[in-house]
Amino acid sequence: MNNTNILTIQLHDSPEDPSTCAMSSADWQHIRENSYSTLAELKKIKLTVFKEKLNLYNEKCRIKDDVILTLRTCLETYKNTNLNNNDVITFLKSKLCERRQNCIAIQKSFKKQLTELENSNKDKSEKIVKQDELITDKDNYILKLEQQLKKTADQLQEKTQLSFDYQQRIITLEANIEQKNLQLADSKVTIQEKEDQISALKNEVATTGDKLNATQELLRSWKTQNFIQAFNSKDAHRAKLETELRNSTERIKKQNDRLLQYSIKELQASLSEEESSTELKVLTLPRIGSLKVLAQNCISGPGWIVIHRRMDDSVNFNQGWFSFVDGFGDMDGDFWMGLDNVHAMTKRQAHELYVHLVFSNKETRFAHYDNFAISGKNDDYKLKSLGNYFGNAGDGLRPHEHCIFKTVRYNSKNAVQYNRWWHHEYPSCNLNGVFNHKSEFGVWWCRQKDTFVFVESVQMLIRPKLI
């Protein structure tokens, strides 16, 4: 018989590649599933091969059994036919024994190989389990790294947001600092104005004191000259004159003290209320009803109401008559309160007028009038009264006193121009003109040697007069 070659299949461990440790968990899962499927298929193939070999060996054994049976039959035949063939029979028996021994040896060899394959499969399974444990450890390590990466990303995002918040706070603080600097500059200007007012009031008090001294000196002179006549007059008449003199002296002194005290109180109130310099209020006026006004407490003390403001060219003052009667603009910017509203306010009570001016060189000046009032519609909103002037900007409104408000149309060389102001043939101010217009139709206050002094910003404020 021909010798049979035995096919063996051996699984070799692939060396561990360090680069696989850097794979993602999905790749490891895919590789593990492929490894399991591959090992299972190999096991199935091995078992199929072993079964086929076993069937082959069984078939060979069956064939050999048939041969043995045939040989026995032949042997019996030979015994029956020829008793002399004992040598042949002995030879056949020896061959048969040899074949049986070969079959037993082949069976033992197959059993041994099967045992070795089973042990090898067991070792492979143990290695697979170890590799699974290693893969699990790697997956856990990767998961831990992913969690750390996520935590780091969250911390980075939090720090980025914190940095952005800090930047926003820095920008806000810088804006607040800039605003505070502007407020400080305005406060310095206001303080300077107050100091100018105090100086002017002191000068006025000094002038009034000089007048009082002159009056007292005149009274003493008059008293000396008429001493004999007064001595001969009746006691009641002399007492009356002395009483009148004392009363006049006390009234003048009280008036001076009140003016100085009122100015100082104005300055203190202005400085203490700087943080709330402007606010919106609602007034109830006869015939008008509720009227929203802008209160200003910083420029020249408390209680002022803004009736006119020009800061830039954001509001067009090229308006018609009825717009100036009713009012227009935005209280957050430039506006005109309206002649009818100002008339309703000044009609029921005497008011002061304060004109706050800022010129092109950033110089701030003011003009104060202590009895401001305008007429009504029937009198074309005439500038009825101004009262006494006090300030350092110049008495620019004085020529316009007792003048009516007009929107006058002029034909110039290049265009039609308008003046919307209390009309005077030779005006000395125009606060409703056109910004950046360097002519009599611009925004200006007073003249210096026939030269217009143009204004960068202006506010007109009124408040009830304290009697």
Side-chain angles (χ1 to χ4, degrees):
M1 297 182 64
N2 296 328
N3 293 328
T4 304
N5 295 325
I6 300 173
L7 298 175
T8 60
I9 299 174
Q10 185 175 1
L11 295 174
H12 298 282
D13 293 333
S14 61
E16 185 174 348
D17 189 0
S19 62
T20 57
C21 296
M23 295 184 180
S24 63
S25 57
D27 296 334
W28 279 110
Q29 184 67 24
H30 182 66
I31 292 171
R32 184 165 52 191
E33 291 176 359
N34 292 337
S35 300
Y36 288 161
S37 61
T38 305
L39 291 174
E41 290 175 1
L42 289 174
K43 288 180 181 180
K44 289 180 181 180
I45 292 171
K46 288 179 182 179
L47 291 175
T48 304
V49 171
F50 291 152
K51 286 180 181 180
E52 289 178 357
K53 287 183 178 181
L54 186 60
N55 292 330
L56 181 61
Y57 292 144
N58 290 330
E59 183 66 20
K60 287 181 178 181
C61 291
R62 187 181 62 77
I63 292 171
K64 289 179 181 179
D65 291 335
D66 292 339
V67 171
I68 290 170
L69 183 59
T70 303
L71 291 174
R72 285 181 179 178
T73 304
C74 291
L75 182 59
E76 292 293 329
T77 303
Y78 288 147
K79 285 182 179 180
N80 293 327
T81 56
N82 190 1
L83 294 174
N84 294 325
N85 291 330
N86 291 331
D87 295 335
V88 176
I89 293 171
T90 302
F91 175 75
L92 291 173
K93 285 181 177 181
S94 63
K95 291 291 184 181
L96 182 61
C97 291
E98 185 179 354
R99 292 293 176 85
R100 284 183 177 179
Q101 291 176 356
N102 290 333
C103 288
I104 292 171
I106 290 170
Q107 288 179 354
K108 289 180 178 181
S109 176
F110 277 125
K111 287 181 179 180
K112 184 178 179 181
Q113 289 180 2
L114 184 60
T115 303
E116 290 177 355
L117 288 173
E118 289 178 352
N119 293 331
S120 177
N121 287 333
K122 186 176 180 182
D123 294 337
K124 296 294 183 182
S125 298
E126 291 177 355
K127 289 182 178 181
I128 289 172
V129 171
K130 290 181 180 179
Q131 289 181 355
D132 290 339
E133 292 176 354
L134 182 61
I135 290 171
T136 303
D137 294 338
K138 296 293 183 182
D139 291 339
N140 293 331
Y141 181 69
I142 290 171
L143 182 61
K144 185 177 179 181
L145 289 177
E146 288 178 350
Q147 291 176 353
Q148 291 179 355
L149 181 62
K150 184 178 179 181
K151 185 177 180 181
T152 304
D154 294 338
Q155 291 177 354
L156 180 61
Q157 185 177 3
E158 183 178 356
K159 290 181 179 180
T160 303
Q161 183 64 32
L162 187 62
S163 176
F164 178 75
D165 293 339
Y166 282 149
Q167 290 178 356
Q168 293 296 323
R169 289 182 62 186
I170 289 171
I171 293 172
T172 303
L173 290 174
E174 289 178 350
N176 290 334
I177 291 171
E178 185 67 23
Q179 185 177 3
K180 294 297 181 183
N181 290 332
L182 294 175
Q183 291 179 358
L184 180 60
D186 294 338
S187 299
K188 290 180 179 179
V189 172
T190 304
I191 290 171
Q192 184 62 37
E193 289 182 1
K194 297 304 175 183
E195 290 178 352
D196 294 340
Q197 291 181 11
I198 289 174
S199 299
L201 287 173
K202 287 181 178 179
N203 294 330
E204 186 177 354
V205 168
T207 303
T208 306
D210 294 338
K211 291 180 180 179
L212 177 61
N213 293 331
T215 304
Q216 290 176 351
E217 184 66 26
L218 182 62
L219 287 173
R220 281 196 298 269
S221 175
W222 177 81
K223 185 177 180 181
T224 301
Q225 293 176 1
N226 298 284
F227 177 75
I228 298 173
Q229 184 180 358
F231 182 78
N232 296 325
S233 300
K234 294 181 180 180
D235 294 337
H237 184 63
R238 183 174 64 253
K240 182 179 179 181
L241 290 176
E242 290 177 353
T243 303
E244 289 179 356
L245 178 61
R246 284 196 299 271
N247 291 335
S248 299
T249 305
E250 290 177 358
R251 281 199 301 270
I252 293 172
K253 185 177 180 181
K254 288 180 180 180
Q255 184 179 4
N256 292 336
D257 292 340
R258 183 181 64 81
L259 287 173
L260 182 59
Q261 184 179 5
Y262 178 69
S263 178
I264 294 173
K265 286 182 178 180
E266 266 191 349
L267 178 60
Q268 292 175 349
S270 174
L271 294 177
S272 63
E273 297 181 6
E274 182 179 351
E275 293 298 328
S276 58
S277 60
T278 60
E279 59 179 339
L280 292 176
K281 290 184 177 181
V282 178
L283 300 180
T284 302
L285 302 176
R287 188 177 55 82
I288 301 296
S290 297
L291 177 65
K292 185 182 291 185
V293 297
L294 181 66
Q296 171 66 261
N297 300 318
C298 181
I299 290 181
S300 183
W304 293 98
I305 294 174
V306 184
I307 63 172
H308 173 258
R309 181 162 67 185
R310 302 289 300 276
M311 296 187 299
D312 50 36
D313 203 16
S314 59
V315 175
N316 183 13
F317 270 64
N318 186 16
Q319 304 285 337
W321 168 259
F322 294 104
S323 296
F324 279 94
V325 171
D326 298 332
F328 59 89
D330 184 5
M331 288 189 179
D332 292 331
D334 295 358
F335 70 94
W336 172 266
M337 177 180 283
L339 295 168
D340 205 23
N341 298 325
V342 176
H343 165 66
M345 294 175 65
T346 59
K347 178 182 178 180
R348 60 176 183 171
Q349 185 179 355
H351 277 67
E352 300 173 83
L353 171 66
Y354 187 93
V355 184
H356 180 79
L357 301 153
V358 179
F359 296 95
S360 58
N361 56 358
K362 304 302 180 183
E363 182 182 6
T364 302
R365 292 183 175 273
F366 72 97
H368 180 271
Y369 299 94
D370 64 359
N371 189 17
F372 171 75
I374 65 173
S375 301
K377 178 180 179 182
N378 295 332
D379 206 7
D380 291 329
Y381 301 102
K382 179 190 296 183
L383 184 53
K384 186 177 179 180
S385 172
L386 285 174
N388 296 320
Y389 162 78
F390 172 74
N392 57 3
D395 194 2
L397 268 178
R398 185 63 60 188
H400 299 266
E401 190 176 13
H402 308 301
C403 294
I404 63 175
F405 195 93
K406 284 187 177 182
T407 56
V408 183
R409 183 175 186 268
Y410 294 95
N411 289 319
S412 61
K413 294 181 180 179
N414 298 323
V416 176
Q417 302 290 348
Y418 292 87
N419 261 347
R420 298 162 177 83
W421 197 242
W422 287 281
H423 179 67
H424 190 272
E425 187 177 359
Y426 299 101
S428 60
C429 66
N430 180 21
L431 300 182
N432 283 338
V434 181
F435 261 122
N436 300 321
H437 199 294
K438 305 303 182 182
S439 71
E440 63 175 322
F441 303 107
V443 182
W444 57 279
W445 180 270
C446 291
R447 301 188 189 189
Q448 294 180 356
K449 297 180 181 179
D450 294 330
T451 301
F452 300 104
V453 182
F454 297 101
V455 174
E456 280 198 352
S457 66
V458 59
Q459 291 189 84
M460 295 177 65
L461 309 96
I462 63 172
R463 72 176 176 186
K465 182 179 180 180
L466 298 176
I467 306 301

